[in-house]
Amino acid sequence: MNIGIYIYEQAEVLDFAGPFEVFTKASSILANADSDDRSITVSLIAQSLEAVKARAGFTVLPHASIQQHDQLDVLIVPGGWHYEEMHKAPVLHWIKQQSCQTRITASVCTGAFLLAQSGVLTKERVTTHWDDISELRELFPALTVEENTRWVDEGAIVTSAGISAGIDMSLHLLARLFDRDLALQTARRMEFDW
């Protein structure tokens, strides 16, 4: 199972670090269980291989670029200061292209704006950070934007509310892609109340 997490300048740190921790922790649980038929690889993917400066100056080196990476089963797009990303045609094209190939395309927080701008989201039920709900509704009126929920699962597309909600959503994805027991073990290892 290949999980790709897109990172970009001014991305919210926990939006990508939370899901990264969930899936890498689950990977170590599977490895310790000698599960040959079930494994997880997690990659941070950026527009290029240059260092990415996320929020508050948190600098990250991507594992791969949008031009060269392994085939993904799941793509996760975090939020943050997303406005510049919404105008990057190569990034939007890549997100759209990946959504046609992945089992699940997901967003955390304002990553939903990038999914909508790329055409991945058109008229689905979605959610985002509570402070951005009105703007998402205004910019993409065909979407049904839900409030007061940690995540919305529309099958091939899953969106979550802000920041820490990405951890909840990622545990939900683990339960869907593997089983609930793995999600519960992962949450326990992380000391996360899920």
Side-chain angles (χ1 to χ4, degrees), residues 1-4 19 22-31 33-42 73-74 76 103-104 153 169-186 194:
M1 179 76 58
N2 286 327
I3 314 291
V22 168
F23 287 106
T24 55
K25 190 65 69 187
S27 178
S28 69
I29 292 169
L30 290 174
D34 293 325
S35 178
D36 294 333
D37 60 333
R38 301 192 318 165
S39 65
I40 302 171
T41 302
V42 187
D73 297 294
V74 176
I76 299 173
R103 290 173 59 181
I104 298 171
D153 188 330
M169 178 193 73
S170 296
L171 290 164
H172 168 71
L173 293 178
L174 265 184
R176 263 190 63 184
L177 295 165
F178 292 90
D179 55 57
R180 185 167 175 77
D181 183 57
L182 178 59
L184 291 170
Q185 285 184 61
T186 302
W194 183 64

Side-chain angles (χ1 to χ4, degrees), residues 75-96:
L75 171 63
I76 299 173
V77 178
W81 188 255
H82 57 280
Y83 300 103
E84 286 186 26
E85 296 302 304
M86 288 179 68
H87 300 287
K88 292 183 178 177
V91 169
L92 298 174
H93 174 75
W94 177 77
I95 291 172
K96 177 69 172 175

Side-chain angles (χ1 to χ4, degrees), residues 43 69 79 188:
S43 300
H69 58 82
R188 180 168 164 71

